[in-house]
């Protein structure tokens, strides 16, 4: 501490006008090596999705909502042929409202709506493929989409669109487009036509016909003509446009 008697003009601490002179030295530490700021620190672990899936598989008393899906095991409602073995199916899932609200816009909107079933502990989803819901619930909890057939992929796509699961829709659409072949083309086209919200997929399939058309079985094209005659016209117009673009 500076003694009061040293606070004078001779010591240099006071100027002629009586103002006190103060010198301050500031030391700025050198930045730490290995990166720049800002940085985001996280305690998330790679096993988070594993933990959530374990909670889904073994909810115990933690579940606060049971969802019951009732519909066809095979996706006839999507425009695909359900076949003679299609039969009503029903399955219940013990889930967690907080996780569904965080991961699914449809459920978040429902829970916040204030409607009669927004706070119910049981929720019924009619006209819903239970197997598709099983896969999409697991997707919401952090799992991948492990579809076992194209019919199942279309059923999941239909339900994902209904639940506003944009990421799942994009994954399924990309899978179906990247794996379409001449052998599956007609069935893909009819399935996509049966999905009200999938005009993007339908247009992309129509555009692919220019490359696959010569190898699509004639019987498949006759099926398209019988079930969706307008689609056959779109296919022909697409081929014509593609040929003009190449010349």
């Amino acid at each position: 501490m500076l003694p009061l008697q040293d606070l004078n003009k001779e010591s240099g601490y006071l100027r002629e006008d009586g103002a006190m002179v103060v010198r301050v030295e500031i030391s700025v530490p050198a930045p730490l090596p290995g990166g720049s700021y800002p940085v985001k620190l996280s305690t998330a672990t790679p096993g988070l999705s594993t933990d959530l899936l374990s909670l889904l598989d073994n909810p115990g008393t933690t579940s606060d909502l049971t969802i019951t899906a009732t519909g066809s095991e095979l996706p006839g409602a999507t425009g695909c042929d359900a076949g003679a073995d299609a039969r009503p199916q029903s399955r219940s899932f013990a889930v967690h409202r907080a996780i569904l609200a965080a991961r699914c816009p449809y459920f978040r909107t429902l829970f916040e709506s204030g409607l009669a079933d927004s706070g119910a502990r049981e929720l019924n989803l009619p006209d819903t493929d239970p197997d598709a819901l099983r896969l999409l619930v697991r997707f919401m909890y952090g799992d991948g989409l492990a579809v076992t057939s194209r019919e199942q992929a279309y059923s999941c796509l239909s339900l994902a669109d209904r639940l506003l699961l944009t990421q799942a829709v994009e994954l399924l659409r990309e899978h179906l487009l990247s794996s379409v072949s001449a052998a599956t083309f007609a069935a893909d086209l009819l399935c996509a036509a049966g999905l009200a919200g999938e005009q993007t997929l339908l247009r992309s399939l129509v555009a692919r016909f220019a490359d696959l058309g010569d190898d699509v079985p004639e019987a498949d094209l006759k099926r398209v003509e019988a079930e969706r005659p307008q689609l056959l016209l779109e296919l022909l117009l697409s081929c014509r446009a593609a040929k003009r673009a190449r010349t």
Side-chain angles (χ1 to χ4, degrees):
M1 181 177 291
L2 180 68
L4 185 58
Q5 61 269 22
D6 291 340
L7 192 60
N8 51 54
K9 296 177 182 178
E10 289 74 16
S11 65
Y13 288 107
L14 290 182
R15 297 190 314 193
E16 290 296 330
D17 60 0
M20 186 171 68
V21 178
V22 179
R23 185 176 69 182
V24 178
E25 293 184 0
I26 300 176
S27 177
V28 180
L32 295 174
S36 60
Y37 287 84
V39 297
K40 182 178 180 181
L41 306 179
S42 174
T43 58
T45 62
L48 178 59
S49 60
T50 302
D51 293 339
L52 292 179
L53 287 168
S54 178
L55 190 64
L56 174 64
D57 293 333
N58 303 283
T61 60
T62 66
S63 171
D64 54 2
L65 176 66
T66 299
I67 299 178
T68 299
T70 304
S72 172
E73 187 75 16
L74 297 175
T78 67
C80 301
D81 183 10
D85 294 332
R87 57 192 183 280
Q89 298 285 330
S90 180
R91 182 172 176 181
S92 296
F93 304 88
V95 294
H96 305 80
R97 298 168 65 92
I99 295 177
L100 265 58
R103 296 279 290 158
C104 179
Y106 173 88
F107 287 115
R108 180 169 61 250
T109 301
L110 174 64
F111 298 154
E112 296 176 352
S113 67
L115 297 175
D117 56 354
S118 61
R121 293 188 61 88
E122 295 185 2
L123 178 64
N124 293 318
L125 292 181
D127 302 321
T128 300
D129 177 3
D131 196 47
L133 182 61
R134 176 184 64 83
L135 293 174
L136 290 174
V137 166
R138 294 190 67 82
F139 176 79
M140 291 181 228
Y141 275 72
D143 201 2
L145 280 170
V147 293
T148 58
S149 67
R150 299 186 75 76
E151 291 77 16
Q152 189 181 62
Y154 275 103
S155 186
C156 286
L157 178 61
S158 176
L159 184 56
D161 182 68
R162 175 178 158 192
L163 297 179
L164 308 178
L165 290 170
T166 305
Q167 187 180 17
V169 167
E170 292 175 352
L171 288 171
L172 289 160
R173 184 189 295 154
E174 180 181 356
H175 159 69
L176 290 165
L177 283 174
S178 64
S179 57
V180 64
S181 67
T184 68
F185 181 81
D188 282 321
L189 192 70
L190 293 172
C191 283
L195 299 175
E198 268 308 309
Q199 290 302 306
T200 299
L201 177 60
L202 182 60
R203 287 194 300 268
S204 298
L205 286 170
V206 169
R208 289 292 306 276
F209 184 69
D211 298 322
L212 300 173
D214 290 342
D215 297 319
V216 175
E218 183 177 346
D220 289 356
L221 293 178
K222 288 182 177 180
R223 178 187 172 194
V224 172
E225 181 182 20
E227 297 185 23
R228 299 271 183 169
Q230 181 61 31
L231 272 183
L232 189 62
L233 176 60
E234 291 183 28
L235 294 178
L236 296 175
L237 293 176
S238 176
C239 276
R240 181 182 298 178
K243 289 179 181 179
R244 288 176 177 173
R246 292 168 183 166
T247 58

